[in-house]
Amino acid sequence: MKTEARQRLLQQLKSGGPQTAAQLAEGLGLSGMGVHKQLQQLADEGLLLWQDEAGAVGRPRRVWRLSAAGHAEFPDRHGELTVQLIHQVRSLLGEPALERLIDAREQDSERRYQAALAGKRGLRSALLALAAERESEGYMARVERAGADWLLIEDHCPICAAAQACQGFCRSELALFQRCLAPWGQVQRTEHQLAGARRCAYRVSPHP
């Protein structure tokens, strides 16, 4: 796909929100066939998601929207700002203050995750609920079976810059998963982006 056409389509979805191919074609002044081809290419790259919605009459209409990776195509300096704040806290208040901030974030996340997991009877349902929470936070989380175990996979890390500046965030998240999933199984990190992996993955082994 040409860079200009790619950026125009992404920009249209960024500024206008979820739209059908027909709406995008009209807004961009392109043919329907050309837009369909570009949409599929962007979806194959993981930049777009789609959902079929029932209309009042006729066939369902397919609505396209940006994925987390699609949103990441746009300039965003929040990572740089976060790193600056981490360095300032460490410099002005010391490492213990930074640890307290990480602990506070961990406690807040645990309250939300425990609420989402409340009433879940099996490991699979608990993992799916946790993955849904992480997906809403931009981690591109999903669950896969791995023999007798399960994998919680996160294909994107929205706090990667912060984690690189302070690995306490990664330690905190592993401990958080271990506590939240303790009723159903044991958790260990098997892939780690900061260690050079392309994603983060956690193997969850059910209790005997």
Side-chain angles (χ1 to χ4, degrees):
M1 181 191 308
K2 294 182 179 180
T3 301
E4 181 181 356
R6 167 198 179 100
Q7 289 305 119
R8 286 181 64 204
L9 198 152
L10 291 173
Q11 183 66 47
Q12 185 79 357
L13 286 169
K14 182 71 170 175
S15 60
Q19 298 173 60
T20 64
Q23 291 170 326
L24 289 165
E26 181 179 358
L28 295 171
L30 300 173
S31 69
M33 182 177 296
V35 166
H36 275 291
K37 182 178 179 180
Q38 292 179 19
L39 287 170
Q40 190 57 58
Q41 289 177 344
L42 288 168
D44 291 342
E45 294 176 36
L47 300 178
L48 298 185
L49 299 172
W50 56 265
Q51 181 176 354
D52 287 334
E53 297 182 354
V57 294
R59 297 167 54 188
R61 63 176 197 159
R62 178 156 295 180
V63 179
W64 297 84
R65 61 183 175 85
L66 295 177
S67 66
H71 284 290
E73 289 283 300
F74 294 87
D76 191 340
R77 297 191 63 191
H78 77 278
E80 180 182 339
L81 174 61
T82 300
V83 171
Q84 290 175 350
L85 290 174
I86 288 172
H87 289 324
Q88 290 295 331
V89 170
R90 184 180 278 134
S91 174
L92 296 174
L93 303 176
E95 197 71 33
L98 185 56
E99 287 297 320
R100 288 197 296 273
L101 285 174
I102 293 173
D103 289 343
R105 176 181 180 270
E106 183 178 326
Q107 292 169 16
D108 180 68
S109 295
E110 184 168 2
R111 283 192 292 270
R112 290 185 292 102
Y113 295 169
Q114 293 288 13
L117 296 176
K120 303 302 179 187
R121 300 195 176 203
L123 176 56
R124 179 178 178 275
S125 61
L127 276 172
L128 289 173
L130 179 58
E133 288 294 312
R134 298 290 285 181
E135 174 72 18
S136 71
E137 296 172 18
Y139 285 87
M140 297 180 68
R142 53 194 172 91
V143 175
E144 287 186 2
R145 189 83 197 211
D149 299 336
W150 293 89
L151 291 177
L152 172 62
I153 297 169
E154 296 181 340
D155 291 313
H156 177 66
C157 178
I159 66 163
C160 188
Q164 289 175 331
C166 177
Q167 294 201 16
F169 286 104
C170 295
R171 169 190 51 75
S172 171
E173 290 191 334
L174 176 58
L176 176 59
F177 292 165
Q178 289 172 334
R179 288 199 305 277
C180 287
L181 295 172
W184 300 279
Q186 296 179 322
V187 181
Q188 61 175 326
R189 183 187 284 125
T190 56
E191 297 180 59
H192 192 194
Q193 285 192 37
L194 293 192
R198 66 179 180 85
R199 64 188 187 182
C200 286
Y202 304 83
R203 179 177 287 269
V204 186
S205 305
H207 295 311

